[in-house]
Amino acid sequence: MFRWVKSRAFFFALVLLVAAFMAWKGAYTWRDAFEFPWWGWGVAVLPALAGGGMLLCRRLGKALLPSSVCLWVVLLLSVVVDCSCNIFTYTAPWHLYLSVLMTMGCMLLLWAVLRAGAIAFWVLFLVLEIMQICGCMQYGSRINSLVVAETIEASWDDALAYMTPINLGMLALSFILSVLFCWGLKRTLRKQHSLTLFNAACLFGTASLAFGLLVPPHRQKIDFYWPVTEVPQLYNAASEALTINEATINQVESLTSPTAAPSQLHTLRGGEGVVLIVHVGESIRADRMSLNGYERDTTPWLRQQKHLINFPSCISAACDTCQAQIAMLTDARRDVHEKRPEMLPRTGSVLDLFAAHGFDMYTFFGRRCAQKLKYDRVVMVLSNRSRQKFNAPGSPWTAVPQMQAVLNQVAAGQNLLFFVNNEGSHTPFEHYDRQNTPFVPVATHFQNPAAQAQEVNNAYDSTIHYTDEFFRRVTEAVQHRPFVYIYVSDHGEYLGHDGMWGRAALGERHVSYHATTGCRVGMFVLYNEAFERLHPHFATALQQLRTNAALTVAHEHLFHTLLGLFKLQTPYYNETLDLTSPEVQPYSGPQPAL
Ligand SMILES: [Zn+2]
């Protein structure tokens, strides 16, 4: 009874009929111009391979195709895997029948080639895919090179922010699911001959591609053929991130310090007690500072300062922290992708020069500690002349008492360089005043940001307000000395701007950073009268800086402006990039249209 149900012919007839029905139901008309995508050649190659395999099977006396029970189980596993792990199952237009056929082909092929070794692949792959869906739903981005890069540069503390009960639960669940899947796969396929599996794999692959060709050309997407297309995608994301990561580290490590060339400081002799603060900020968009007209008062203290020179139009060099740091502190003019020799860095950190000319340098980082990571390697090289490096556990504000301690400990006439680089407004926007949060309610986990846009925006604005208070506290600590405080943010952030949430979305949307509003960052110079009066050059330079504040400036200006402000002479100085000079040229590189 029902012996025909158990036949392979019934299986193939049913599966192909259902798939054909799905394709037909998509209402594709033959009037659509038929265009043959490159992957369409698979429908010629795969059946030929299957035919060859079958001939060989006949000669070896093996079954041409796996048993029908085996095929039904593979179909069932494939449907379960596609419904739970394939991100495209949920995105219109629905093409589950194509990916199910392709998944069956992949399962059989991998087992035919790797046998039980395929288990390692499937466990890793399925866990990654489920976590990708989980991440995509919460944070709005798939795994791309920017996500991988951010993961590489995340400190342990950053990573902890993502270890939520949901994420940890999903990780455990995905692991259990993939182990169960592999157990089923092993039980089903272990007794089948590799060649038999190979034949069936080729047939399922052919069916998937053939039905896919019925989709009209303008709706064709290679993503229909998950999981085949997902593997190179993940590989490219990882390799691109690692290549850029390595190139960035190599770039900064290959630079010779500017102190290797002769240099001269014309304004200070030592003993003036000047404090120069260079603050490489984090993720502050210019348009979110009330200083630049934002309707919310995110920078209440800054905007009241008389001795403030604000640069409302500053373009950041890269959406990546490390590349931006190199563009700011060395004479590099663009990011690590730049090929034009005149835009490449010729020398290392400008901070080295100040350290060489009598400034005792102290560095104030945020709370990160894992210093072997890329994020830390680059900034460590750029600030390696520091006498001491501090971390600020808990909050960036912790740096203020540390600065105070340094000020108390060194001689009153000692010139100081404070290099500041902390978390600022980095996602997930955790650093704000918990007691008196200025903008409420806040959401600080960056999960599903679009659904709680107001809360996420409140958190972001509150971090800027918090940094404004940091500026106030630092300034208060150094105000009894002549000081100048230069702040530039490394890159912006996306909170629904340009249709995106988070910087990783740039990779998702294949948008150029400089085509978006996220590359306009906060920048200002703050000083006191004691500094201005200290040397006639300072007064002139600050005056000129104020005149140039209306120009479109960029990270490329910082290196030369620091040299120009102090009249620090070195062969690397370029007057056309010095904002304290009347000869300065505005930034003319890539930038978004106004
Ligand atoms: Zn950054």
Side-chain angles (χ1 to χ4, degrees):
M1 218 167 82
F2 295 118
R3 277 180 67 183
W4 53 273
V5 175
K6 289 187 186 167
S7 73
R8 295 185 193 107
F10 174 74
F11 175 85
F12 277 103
L14 191 76
V15 167
L16 296 181
L17 259 174
V18 171
F21 175 73
M22 299 278 202
W24 170 74
K25 207 170 145 264
Y28 308 133
T29 62
W30 291 102
R31 275 172 298 156
D32 283 307
F34 187 75
E35 214 173 84
F36 202 72
W38 62 265
W39 61 82
W41 289 106
V43 294
V45 178
L46 291 176
L49 289 174
M54 285 181 187
L55 279 177
L56 206 58
C57 277
R58 175 156 290 180
R59 191 163 286 182
L60 296 171
K62 301 286 176 198
L64 302 190
L65 291 167
S67 70
S68 65
V69 177
C70 166
L71 293 172
W72 282 111
V73 176
V74 168
L75 174 66
L76 181 76
L77 287 175
S78 171
V79 171
V80 172
V81 159
D82 269 83
C83 289
S84 52
C85 309
N86 180 357
I87 197 164
F88 303 110
T89 300
Y90 310 99
T91 52
W94 194 70
H95 288 296
L96 183 63
Y97 62 101
L98 296 180
S99 58
V100 163
L101 286 169
M102 195 49 94
T103 309
M104 288 164 78
C106 289
M107 274 183 212
L108 298 171
L109 183 70
L110 274 181
W111 200 276
V113 177
L114 302 173
R115 304 302 297 184
I119 291 175
F121 167 81
W122 284 112
V123 170
L124 184 69
F125 179 72
L126 297 182
V127 168
L128 262 180
E129 290 298 288
I130 294 179
M131 292 319 288
Q132 171 164 254
I133 295 178
C134 179
C136 194
M137 284 181 167
Q138 294 181 82
Y139 312 108
S141 183
R142 291 184 52 205
I143 298 174
N144 58 46
S145 61
L146 286 169
V147 171
V148 179
E150 286 230 353
T151 312
I152 297 169
E153 75 176 36
S155 69
W156 180 243
D157 286 316
D158 285 339
L160 273 180
Y162 293 94
M163 290 190 194
T164 60
I166 296 181
N167 289 345
L168 291 175
M170 282 308 290
L171 187 65
L173 192 70
S174 62
F175 187 72
I176 294 169
L177 256 175
S178 27
V179 168
L180 277 177
F181 163 81
C182 289
W183 175 78
L185 202 63
K186 189 176 177 203
R187 272 191 69 110
T188 317
L189 302 183
R190 65 183 166 171
K191 288 196 180 136
Q192 306 287 329
H193 191 265
S194 283
L195 210 47
T196 311
L197 296 177
F198 174 80
N199 297 338
C202 291
L203 291 184
F204 289 125
T206 310
S208 178
L209 292 176
F211 286 119
L213 288 177
L214 299 181
V215 178
H218 62 279
R219 281 198 258 162
Q220 292 270 3
K221 259 183 155 183
I222 202 155
D223 294 333
F224 295 161
Y225 308 105
W226 187 93
V228 173
T229 48
E230 191 65 359
V231 177
Q233 181 110 2
L234 290 175
Y235 174 80
N236 286 344
S239 95
E240 200 180 310
L242 292 173
T243 313
I244 295 170
N245 179 10
E246 209 178 287
T248 309
I249 293 173
N250 287 346
Q251 185 178 61
V252 76
E253 286 185 341
S254 68
L255 297 171
T256 35
S257 171
T259 54
S263 60
Q264 214 178 344
L265 177 62
H266 292 281
T267 47
L268 302 173
R269 295 154 177 266
E272 293 87 351
V274 168
V275 185
L276 163 63
I277 303 158
V278 178
H279 186 160
V280 165
E282 183 58 67
S283 307
I284 292 196
R285 291 177 65 97
D287 60 7
R288 297 303 282 262
M289 302 169 90
S290 52
L291 191 62
N292 292 320
Y294 183 44
E295 65 268 22
R296 275 185 162 175
D297 203 359
T298 48
T299 50
W301 182 80
L302 266 187
R303 66 177 176 78
Q304 286 176 34
Q305 299 314 301
K306 200 169 81 193
H307 295 112
L308 178 95
I309 305 169
N310 178 37
F311 293 83
S313 183
C314 174
I315 307 291
S316 120
C319 66
D320 169 284
T321 300
C322 298
Q323 292 176 49
Q325 285 167 340
I326 297 175
M328 278 187 268
L329 297 174
T330 76
D331 65 343
R333 299 186 59 182
R334 301 288 183 267
D335 64 15
V336 79
H337 301 282
E338 180 62 47
K339 297 280 178 284
R340 286 170 294 171
E342 70 275 19
M343 298 288 167
L344 294 174
R346 299 164 299 166
T347 187
S349 175
V350 69
L351 305 177
D352 291 6
L353 281 168
F354 287 91
H357 285 282
F359 285 77
D360 275 1
M361 178 172 166
Y362 293 87
T363 291
F364 303 89
F365 288 130
R367 61 181 183 183
R368 64 170 179 267
C369 44
Q371 294 172 358
K372 281 184 203 117
L373 296 168
K374 167 201 172 194
Y375 189 87
D376 302 315
R377 280 268 289 284
V378 169
V379 80
M380 287 291 155
V381 171
L382 293 169
S383 62
N384 68 358
R385 299 284 171 110
S386 309
R387 286 183 169 253
Q388 204 176 338
K389 289 172 177 167
F390 296 89
N391 286 96
S395 150
W397 286 0
T398 323
V400 182
Q402 293 167 342
M403 289 177 184
Q404 196 64 65
V406 170
L407 289 162
N408 293 343
Q409 167 199 316
V410 300
Q414 176 61 53
N415 292 337
L416 294 170
L417 166 55
F418 286 174
F419 174 60
V420 182
N421 179 223
N422 53 35
E423 283 87 3
S425 298
H426 199 283
T427 48
F429 316 141
E430 287 182 300
H431 295 291
Y432 60 87
D433 191 345
R434 306 272 165 156
Q435 268 79 50
N436 298 299
T437 310
F439 311 108
V440 284
V442 291
T444 58
H445 38 64
F446 213 67
Q447 280 168 13
N448 200 357
Q452 41 188 343
Q454 195 53 54
E455 288 85 348
V456 172
N457 273 287
N458 286 345
Y460 180 71
D461 288 342
S462 296
T463 61
I464 299 179
H465 194 277
Y466 196 68
T467 305
D468 184 68
E469 172 63 13
F470 177 81
F471 298 143
R472 190 192 70 77
R473 292 184 181 200
V474 173
T475 306
E476 196 178 72
V478 297
Q479 52 138 0
H480 60 283
R481 282 166 165 254
F483 83 87
V484 60
Y485 190 141
I486 301 181
Y487 174 91
V488 191
S489 180
D490 58 350
H491 48 71
E493 187 53 77
Y494 300 89
L495 302 113
H497 302 92
D498 303 283
M500 291 180 285
W501 290 88
R503 279 177 293 138
L506 280 169
E508 180 75 0
R509 299 261 309 271
H510 305 286
V511 192
S512 152
Y513 173 55
H514 286 107
T516 71
T517 57
C519 69
R520 292 187 191 282
V521 294
M523 172 176 175
F524 66 81
V525 175
L526 190 66
Y527 59 94
N528 62 0
E529 263 173 54
F531 176 76
E532 194 180 10
R533 280 201 309 261
L534 199 61
H535 193 284
H537 174 76
F538 292 154
T540 322
L542 289 167
Q543 184 68 40
Q544 193 61 50
L545 202 58
R546 207 175 275 282
T547 310
N548 292 334
L551 301 176
T552 294
V553 305
H555 281 172
E556 63 179 0
H557 287 112
L558 184 63
F559 180 96
H560 307 277
T561 301
L562 277 166
L563 298 179
L565 178 59
F566 283 87
K567 221 174 177 180
L568 210 165
Q569 209 173 24
T570 137
Y572 300 110
Y573 173 70
N574 179 347
E575 197 177 11
T576 65
L577 293 168
D578 170 12
L579 292 166
T580 71
S581 158
E583 302 303 317
V584 74
Q585 293 298 309
Y587 172 74
S588 60
Q591 55 188 293
L594 276 172

